[in-house]
Amino acid sequence: MSTFGDFDPVRKDIVKLLHQPEYDDGSAGPVLVRLAWHSSGTYDEETDTGGSNGAGMRYETEGGDPANAGLQHARVFLEPVKAKYPWITYADLWTFAGVIAIKEMGGPDIDWLGGRTDYVDDSKLPPRGRLPDGAQGSEHLRHVFGRMGFSDQEIVALSGAHNLGRCHSDRSGFHGAWVHNPTRFSNQYFRLLSSLHWEKKKLPNGVEQYMYYDDDFETELMMLPTDMALVTDPHFSPYVKKYADDKDLFFKDFAAVFAKLVELGIKRDESGKITNADNEKGGYHAAPKKRATPGAPGKTTDDKVDVDEAKPLAEENKRFRARL
């Protein structure tokens, strides 16, 4: 147990849960990074809605978005941490876990400040459709990320998160890993993307992606259409080459853009205190821990979770649930 606002013990327990031998490639790290990214990437700069405040994925409106398929695993992995530190908000826990996971997988230090609050209901959740669609091209990327306030350079740098994890056909529709070691942060994604000949492949489910079979590793790697857009678009491609050639530059730029990502929608004063209206009026409101048993049908929050999410996950996550 830690005192209110003491994030160091929280960090240590997040590190402990990253090793999950029976999940994907043996690590919860990549899916925690995706949780941090998706919980922040709903921001719209013009309307100042969405972003990392609120932990909206606790509600079906956001948590049930097809773009967030599979992230219930990440949320379940973090439940023991929430139980141990009930004072921490889900909004802080999810973003903090992503930053810690990147560092522990060999990535850069990323600036992070706490203070996000959890919404008390779903009235302020953004509409679905704000997260990127991997089947699209460069203009789609500019539309989605430009809405958040990202430049071309930042879009490419943030895409470097594809050094981590893999796609699942039962979640995104795509299948496979981008790199040989998907639990180690590096610039290999850019090196492979820019140097190999990628061929279009249609999966059994009808989804098209790109593949390269590596004879040396006897492994098939994949890229999404949005990944290929980075090398075919004349404004994106120079940054792909820069990051392929210079790992240190990529780490520096990625640290800056990921720090910006998890602050989307957050306003702070000179002391670092969040000044958003929800935080000013309600303070640091930590939603109660998600219930350990399935909730009643029709309930939509993670603390009274609908059986559609909780029951199927109960046995599946039992094998690799975090041990603190």
Side-chain angles (χ1 to χ4, degrees), residues 293-320:
T293 56
K299 300 297 183 181
T300 56
T301 60
D302 270 7
D303 57 314
K304 293 181 178 178
V305 67
D306 188 277
V307 292
D308 288 342
E309 174 172 309
K311 193 172 182 179
L313 284 174
E315 289 302 318
E316 185 177 354
N317 282 298
K318 188 176 181 180
R319 298 192 309 272
F320 46 72

PDB file of all heavy atoms in Angstrom, residues 293-320:
ATOM      1  N   THR A 293     -16.697 -10.206  -9.881  1.00  0.00           N
ATOM      2  CA  THR A 293     -17.678 -11.126 -10.458  1.00  0.00           C
ATOM      3  C   THR A 293     -18.506 -10.390 -11.491  1.00  0.00           C
ATOM      4  O   THR A 293     -18.661  -9.174 -11.430  1.00  0.00           O
ATOM      5  CB  THR A 293     -18.617 -11.690  -9.369  1.00  0.00           C
ATOM      6  OG1 THR A 293     -19.236 -10.593  -8.694  1.00  0.00           O
ATOM      7  CG2 THR A 293     -17.837 -12.528  -8.376  1.00  0.00           C
ATOM      8  N   PRO A 294     -19.075 -11.125 -12.464  1.00  0.00           N
ATOM      9  CA  PRO A 294     -19.886 -10.463 -13.485  1.00  0.00           C
ATOM     10  C   PRO A 294     -21.057  -9.718 -12.864  1.00  0.00           C
ATOM     11  O   PRO A 294     -21.675 -10.189 -11.914  1.00  0.00           O
ATOM     12  CB  PRO A 294     -20.364 -11.622 -14.365  1.00  0.00           C
ATOM     13  CG  PRO A 294     -19.360 -12.705 -14.146  1.00  0.00           C
ATOM     14  CD  PRO A 294     -18.928 -12.563 -12.711  1.00  0.00           C
ATOM     15  N   GLY A 295     -21.376  -8.556 -13.414  1.00  0.00           N
ATOM     16  CA  GLY A 295     -22.482  -7.761 -12.894  1.00  0.00           C
ATOM     17  C   GLY A 295     -23.792  -8.121 -13.541  1.00  0.00           C
ATOM     18  O   GLY A 295     -23.882  -9.028 -14.376  1.00  0.00           O
ATOM     19  N   ALA A 296     -24.812  -7.402 -13.187  1.00  0.00           N
ATOM     20  CA  ALA A 296     -26.142  -7.665 -13.716  1.00  0.00           C
ATOM     21  C   ALA A 296     -26.219  -7.244 -15.174  1.00  0.00           C
ATOM     22  O   ALA A 296     -25.587  -6.296 -15.590  1.00  0.00           O
ATOM     23  CB  ALA A 296     -27.169  -6.897 -12.898  1.00  0.00           C
ATOM     24  N   PRO A 297     -26.991  -7.969 -15.984  1.00  0.00           N
ATOM     25  CA  PRO A 297     -27.155  -7.576 -17.385  1.00  0.00           C
ATOM     26  C   PRO A 297     -27.665  -6.137 -17.477  1.00  0.00           C
ATOM     27  O   PRO A 297     -28.469  -5.687 -16.668  1.00  0.00           O
ATOM     28  CB  PRO A 297     -28.199  -8.563 -17.901  1.00  0.00           C
ATOM     29  CG  PRO A 297     -28.068  -9.758 -16.999  1.00  0.00           C
ATOM     30  CD  PRO A 297     -27.733  -9.189 -15.647  1.00  0.00           C
ATOM     31  N   GLY A 298     -27.178  -5.438 -18.488  1.00  0.00           N
ATOM     32  CA  GLY A 298     -27.620  -4.073 -18.687  1.00  0.00           C
ATOM     33  C   GLY A 298     -26.723  -3.040 -18.050  1.00  0.00           C
ATOM     34  O   GLY A 298     -26.803  -1.864 -18.371  1.00  0.00           O
ATOM     35  N   LYS A 299     -25.851  -3.451 -17.132  1.00  0.00           N
ATOM     36  CA  LYS A 299     -24.916  -2.500 -16.541  1.00  0.00           C
ATOM     37  C   LYS A 299     -23.804  -2.243 -17.538  1.00  0.00           C
ATOM     38  O   LYS A 299     -23.376  -3.125 -18.266  1.00  0.00           O
ATOM     39  CB  LYS A 299     -24.351  -3.035 -15.224  1.00  0.00           C
ATOM     40  CG  LYS A 299     -25.417  -3.309 -14.165  1.00  0.00           C
ATOM     41  CD  LYS A 299     -26.155  -2.054 -13.757  1.00  0.00           C
ATOM     42  CE  LYS A 299     -27.154  -2.340 -12.641  1.00  0.00           C
ATOM     43  NZ  LYS A 299     -27.894  -1.129 -12.251  1.00  0.00           N
ATOM     44  N   THR A 300     -23.265  -1.031 -17.523  1.00  0.00           N
ATOM     45  CA  THR A 300     -22.343  -0.667 -18.585  1.00  0.00           C
ATOM     46  C   THR A 300     -20.974  -0.229 -18.120  1.00  0.00           C
ATOM     47  O   THR A 300     -20.129   0.083 -18.924  1.00  0.00           O
ATOM     48  CB  THR A 300     -22.944   0.476 -19.425  1.00  0.00           C
ATOM     49  OG1 THR A 300     -23.253   1.568 -18.566  1.00  0.00           O
ATOM     50  CG2 THR A 300     -24.189   0.019 -20.158  1.00  0.00           C
ATOM     51  N   THR A 301     -20.718  -0.173 -16.825  1.00  0.00           N
ATOM     52  CA  THR A 301     -19.400   0.248 -16.384  1.00  0.00           C
ATOM     53  C   THR A 301     -18.598  -0.945 -15.921  1.00  0.00           C
ATOM     54  O   THR A 301     -19.141  -1.993 -15.609  1.00  0.00           O
ATOM     55  CB  THR A 301     -19.509   1.248 -15.221  1.00  0.00           C
ATOM     56  OG1 THR A 301     -20.178   0.629 -14.129  1.00  0.00           O
ATOM     57  CG2 THR A 301     -20.286   2.474 -15.627  1.00  0.00           C
ATOM     58  N   ASP A 302     -17.281  -0.773 -15.889  1.00  0.00           N
ATOM     59  CA  ASP A 302     -16.421  -1.876 -15.495  1.00  0.00           C
ATOM     60  C   ASP A 302     -16.614  -2.271 -14.041  1.00  0.00           C
ATOM     61  O   ASP A 302     -16.357  -3.410 -13.672  1.00  0.00           O
ATOM     62  CB  ASP A 302     -14.946  -1.512 -15.727  1.00  0.00           C
ATOM     63  CG  ASP A 302     -14.491  -1.916 -17.118  1.00  0.00           C
ATOM     64  OD1 ASP A 302     -15.347  -2.346 -17.909  1.00  0.00           O
ATOM     65  OD2 ASP A 302     -13.298  -1.808 -17.410  1.00  0.00           O
ATOM     66  N   ASP A 303     -17.059  -1.337 -13.192  1.00  0.00           N
ATOM     67  CA  ASP A 303     -17.263  -1.717 -11.802  1.00  0.00           C
ATOM     68  C   ASP A 303     -18.578  -2.468 -11.621  1.00  0.00           C
ATOM     69  O   ASP A 303     -18.806  -3.104 -10.601  1.00  0.00           O
ATOM     70  CB  ASP A 303     -17.207  -0.502 -10.868  1.00  0.00           C
ATOM     71  CG  ASP A 303     -18.197   0.579 -11.227  1.00  0.00           C
ATOM     72  OD1 ASP A 303     -18.272   0.901 -12.424  1.00  0.00           O
ATOM     73  OD2 ASP A 303     -18.873   1.086 -10.314  1.00  0.00           O
ATOM     74  N   LYS A 304     -19.466  -2.393 -12.608  1.00  0.00           N
ATOM     75  CA  LYS A 304     -20.678  -3.214 -12.645  1.00  0.00           C
ATOM     76  C   LYS A 304     -20.758  -3.763 -14.065  1.00  0.00           C
ATOM     77  O   LYS A 304     -21.661  -3.472 -14.819  1.00  0.00           O
ATOM     78  CB  LYS A 304     -21.914  -2.377 -12.323  1.00  0.00           C
ATOM     79  CG  LYS A 304     -21.960  -1.868 -10.893  1.00  0.00           C
ATOM     80  CD  LYS A 304     -23.223  -1.082 -10.642  1.00  0.00           C
ATOM     81  CE  LYS A 304     -23.309  -0.605  -9.201  1.00  0.00           C
ATOM     82  NZ  LYS A 304     -24.534   0.204  -8.951  1.00  0.00           N
ATOM     83  N   VAL A 305     -19.749  -4.556 -14.385  1.00  0.00           N
ATOM     84  CA  VAL A 305     -19.489  -4.887 -15.780  1.00  0.00           C
ATOM     85  C   VAL A 305     -20.532  -5.837 -16.346  1.00  0.00           C
ATOM     86  O   VAL A 305     -21.005  -6.742 -15.680  1.00  0.00           O
ATOM     87  CB  VAL A 305     -18.071  -5.496 -15.931  1.00  0.00           C
ATOM     88  CG1 VAL A 305     -17.974  -6.841 -15.258  1.00  0.00           C
ATOM     89  CG2 VAL A 305     -17.674  -5.595 -17.384  1.00  0.00           C
ATOM     90  N   ASP A 306     -20.898  -5.609 -17.590  1.00  0.00           N
ATOM     91  CA  ASP A 306     -21.844  -6.476 -18.260  1.00  0.00           C
ATOM     92  C   ASP A 306     -21.243  -7.860 -18.432  1.00  0.00           C
ATOM     93  O   ASP A 306     -20.049  -8.020 -18.676  1.00  0.00           O
ATOM     94  CB  ASP A 306     -22.162  -5.883 -19.646  1.00  0.00           C
ATOM     95  CG  ASP A 306     -23.291  -6.615 -20.336  1.00  0.00           C
ATOM     96  OD1 ASP A 306     -23.020  -7.661 -20.943  1.00  0.00           O
ATOM     97  OD2 ASP A 306     -24.423  -6.134 -20.258  1.00  0.00           O
ATOM     98  N   VAL A 307     -22.078  -8.878 -18.339  1.00  0.00           N
ATOM     99  CA  VAL A 307     -21.577 -10.249 -18.431  1.00  0.00           C
ATOM    100  C   VAL A 307     -20.948 -10.528 -19.784  1.00  0.00           C
ATOM    101  O   VAL A 307     -20.140 -11.450 -19.919  1.00  0.00           O
ATOM    102  CB  VAL A 307     -22.717 -11.262 -18.177  1.00  0.00           C
ATOM    103  CG1 VAL A 307     -23.174 -11.182 -16.741  1.00  0.00           C
ATOM    104  CG2 VAL A 307     -23.893 -11.004 -19.117  1.00  0.00           C
ATOM    105  N   ASP A 308     -21.293  -9.760 -20.799  1.00  0.00           N
ATOM    106  CA  ASP A 308     -20.716  -9.975 -22.111  1.00  0.00           C
ATOM    107  C   ASP A 308     -19.202  -9.844 -22.087  1.00  0.00           C
ATOM    108  O   ASP A 308     -18.509 -10.473 -22.868  1.00  0.00           O
ATOM    109  CB  ASP A 308     -21.292  -8.986 -23.122  1.00  0.00           C
ATOM    110  CG  ASP A 308     -22.743  -9.312 -23.464  1.00  0.00           C
ATOM    111  OD1 ASP A 308     -23.172 -10.441 -23.206  1.00  0.00           O
ATOM    112  OD2 ASP A 308     -23.411  -8.417 -23.988  1.00  0.00           O
ATOM    113  N   GLU A 309     -18.656  -8.998 -21.195  1.00  0.00           N
ATOM    114  CA  GLU A 309     -17.207  -8.863 -21.095  1.00  0.00           C
ATOM    115  C   GLU A 309     -16.638  -9.720 -19.990  1.00  0.00           C
ATOM    116  O   GLU A 309     -15.656 -10.421 -20.180  1.00  0.00           O
ATOM    117  CB  GLU A 309     -16.811  -7.404 -20.844  1.00  0.00           C
ATOM    118  CG  GLU A 309     -15.312  -7.251 -20.579  1.00  0.00           C
ATOM    119  CD  GLU A 309     -14.878  -5.817 -20.512  1.00  0.00           C
ATOM    120  OE1 GLU A 309     -15.211  -5.066 -21.441  1.00  0.00           O
ATOM    121  OE2 GLU A 309     -14.204  -5.433 -19.544  1.00  0.00           O
ATOM    122  N   ALA A 310     -17.263  -9.694 -18.827  1.00  0.00           N
ATOM    123  CA  ALA A 310     -16.657 -10.312 -17.651  1.00  0.00           C
ATOM    124  C   ALA A 310     -16.654 -11.835 -17.694  1.00  0.00           C
ATOM    125  O   ALA A 310     -15.640 -12.466 -17.403  1.00  0.00           O
ATOM    126  CB  ALA A 310     -17.372  -9.838 -16.388  1.00  0.00           C
ATOM    127  N   LYS A 311     -17.768 -12.438 -18.048  1.00  0.00           N
ATOM    128  CA  LYS A 311     -17.853 -13.894 -17.939  1.00  0.00           C
ATOM    129  C   LYS A 311     -16.901 -14.633 -18.874  1.00  0.00           C
ATOM    130  O   LYS A 311     -16.172 -15.527 -18.450  1.00  0.00           O
ATOM    131  CB  LYS A 311     -19.292 -14.355 -18.164  1.00  0.00           C
ATOM    132  CG  LYS A 311     -19.510 -15.809 -17.760  1.00  0.00           C
ATOM    133  CD  LYS A 311     -20.990 -16.163 -17.813  1.00  0.00           C
ATOM    134  CE  LYS A 311     -21.204 -17.602 -17.369  1.00  0.00           C
ATOM    135  NZ  LYS A 311     -22.643 -17.950 -17.389  1.00  0.00           N
ATOM    136  N   PRO A 312     -16.850 -14.268 -20.171  1.00  0.00           N
ATOM    137  CA  PRO A 312     -15.915 -14.974 -21.048  1.00  0.00           C
ATOM    138  C   PRO A 312     -14.455 -14.793 -20.645  1.00  0.00           C
ATOM    139  O   PRO A 312     -13.616 -15.651 -20.904  1.00  0.00           O
ATOM    140  CB  PRO A 312     -16.184 -14.343 -22.420  1.00  0.00           C
ATOM    141  CG  PRO A 312     -17.538 -13.775 -22.322  1.00  0.00           C
ATOM    142  CD  PRO A 312     -17.668 -13.312 -20.902  1.00  0.00           C
ATOM    143  N   LEU A 313     -14.141 -13.635 -20.035  1.00  0.00           N
ATOM    144  CA  LEU A 313     -12.760 -13.366 -19.657  1.00  0.00           C
ATOM    145  C   LEU A 313     -12.355 -14.030 -18.354  1.00  0.00           C
ATOM    146  O   LEU A 313     -11.171 -14.202 -18.081  1.00  0.00           O
ATOM    147  CB  LEU A 313     -12.537 -11.860 -19.511  1.00  0.00           C
ATOM    148  CG  LEU A 313     -12.411 -11.080 -20.808  1.00  0.00           C
ATOM    149  CD1 LEU A 313     -12.354  -9.609 -20.512  1.00  0.00           C
ATOM    150  CD2 LEU A 313     -11.206 -11.526 -21.592  1.00  0.00           C
ATOM    151  N   ALA A 314     -13.334 -14.439 -17.551  1.00  0.00           N
ATOM    152  CA  ALA A 314     -13.027 -14.951 -16.218  1.00  0.00           C
ATOM    153  C   ALA A 314     -12.062 -16.129 -16.267  1.00  0.00           C
ATOM    154  O   ALA A 314     -11.052 -16.152 -15.553  1.00  0.00           O
ATOM    155  CB  ALA A 314     -14.318 -15.348 -15.501  1.00  0.00           C
ATOM    156  N   GLU A 315     -12.342 -17.109 -17.108  1.00  0.00           N
ATOM    157  CA  GLU A 315     -11.473 -18.283 -17.195  1.00  0.00           C
ATOM    158  C   GLU A 315     -10.238 -18.007 -18.038  1.00  0.00           C
ATOM    159  O   GLU A 315      -9.151 -18.467 -17.725  1.00  0.00           O
ATOM    160  CB  GLU A 315     -12.261 -19.469 -17.775  1.00  0.00           C
ATOM    161  CG  GLU A 315     -13.298 -20.024 -16.817  1.00  0.00           C
ATOM    162  CD  GLU A 315     -12.682 -20.489 -15.506  1.00  0.00           C
ATOM    163  OE1 GLU A 315     -11.609 -21.117 -15.542  1.00  0.00           O
ATOM    164  OE2 GLU A 315     -13.264 -20.208 -14.450  1.00  0.00           O
ATOM    165  N   GLU A 316     -10.425 -17.247 -19.126  1.00  0.00           N
ATOM    166  CA  GLU A 316      -9.297 -16.983 -20.016  1.00  0.00           C
ATOM    167  C   GLU A 316      -8.176 -16.245 -19.304  1.00  0.00           C
ATOM    168  O   GLU A 316      -6.997 -16.545 -19.481  1.00  0.00           O
ATOM    169  CB  GLU A 316      -9.777 -16.170 -21.214  1.00  0.00           C
ATOM    170  CG  GLU A 316      -8.720 -15.944 -22.267  1.00  0.00           C
ATOM    171  CD  GLU A 316      -9.243 -15.198 -23.463  1.00  0.00           C
ATOM    172  OE1 GLU A 316     -10.469 -14.946 -23.514  1.00  0.00           O
ATOM    173  OE2 GLU A 316      -8.431 -14.866 -24.336  1.00  0.00           O
ATOM    174  N   ASN A 317      -8.531 -15.271 -18.486  1.00  0.00           N
ATOM    175  CA  ASN A 317      -7.513 -14.487 -17.796  1.00  0.00           C
ATOM    176  C   ASN A 317      -7.026 -15.123 -16.503  1.00  0.00           C
ATOM    177  O   ASN A 317      -6.038 -14.664 -15.921  1.00  0.00           O
ATOM    178  CB  ASN A 317      -8.048 -13.082 -17.501  1.00  0.00           C
ATOM    179  CG  ASN A 317      -8.010 -12.210 -18.725  1.00  0.00           C
ATOM    180  OD1 ASN A 317      -6.943 -11.943 -19.255  1.00  0.00           O
ATOM    181  ND2 ASN A 317      -9.166 -11.798 -19.196  1.00  0.00           N
ATOM    182  N   LYS A 318      -7.679 -16.179 -16.070  1.00  0.00           N
ATOM    183  CA  LYS A 318      -7.272 -16.844 -14.837  1.00  0.00           C
ATOM    184  C   LYS A 318      -5.857 -17.398 -14.965  1.00  0.00           C
ATOM    185  O   LYS A 318      -5.075 -17.413 -14.019  1.00  0.00           O
ATOM    186  CB  LYS A 318      -8.256 -17.968 -14.512  1.00  0.00           C
ATOM    187  CG  LYS A 318      -8.058 -18.608 -13.148  1.00  0.00           C
ATOM    188  CD  LYS A 318      -9.141 -19.645 -12.891  1.00  0.00           C
ATOM    189  CE  LYS A 318      -8.975 -20.289 -11.531  1.00  0.00           C
ATOM    190  NZ  LYS A 318     -10.021 -21.316 -11.267  1.00  0.00           N
ATOM    191  N   ARG A 319      -5.479 -17.835 -16.154  1.00  0.00           N
ATOM    192  CA  ARG A 319      -4.178 -18.461 -16.370  1.00  0.00           C
ATOM    193  C   ARG A 319      -3.033 -17.465 -16.268  1.00  0.00           C
ATOM    194  O   ARG A 319      -1.944 -17.804 -15.858  1.00  0.00           O
ATOM    195  CB  ARG A 319      -4.131 -19.126 -17.760  1.00  0.00           C
ATOM    196  CG  ARG A 319      -5.132 -20.231 -17.954  1.00  0.00           C
ATOM    197  CD  ARG A 319      -4.818 -21.005 -19.237  1.00  0.00           C
ATOM    198  NE  ARG A 319      -4.664 -20.120 -20.378  1.00  0.00           N
ATOM    199  CZ  ARG A 319      -5.693 -19.721 -21.145  1.00  0.00           C
ATOM    200  NH1 ARG A 319      -6.911 -20.096 -20.847  1.00  0.00           N
ATOM    201  NH2 ARG A 319      -5.466 -18.932 -22.161  1.00  0.00           N
ATOM    202  N   PHE A 320      -3.316 -16.219 -16.719  1.00  0.00           N
ATOM    203  CA  PHE A 320      -2.203 -15.273 -16.765  1.00  0.00           C
ATOM    204  C   PHE A 320      -2.501 -13.974 -16.014  1.00  0.00           C
ATOM    205  O   PHE A 320      -1.873 -12.953 -16.284  1.00  0.00           O
ATOM    206  CB  PHE A 320      -1.808 -14.963 -18.218  1.00  0.00           C
ATOM    207  CG  PHE A 320      -2.943 -14.682 -19.138  1.00  0.00           C
ATOM    208  CD1 PHE A 320      -3.661 -13.505 -19.075  1.00  0.00           C
ATOM    209  CD2 PHE A 320      -3.293 -15.636 -20.082  1.00  0.00           C
ATOM    210  CE1 PHE A 320      -4.694 -13.259 -19.943  1.00  0.00           C
ATOM    211  CE2 PHE A 320      -4.333 -15.389 -20.953  1.00  0.00           C
ATOM    212  CZ  PHE A 320      -5.026 -14.208 -20.897  1.00  0.00           C
TER     213      PHE A 320
END
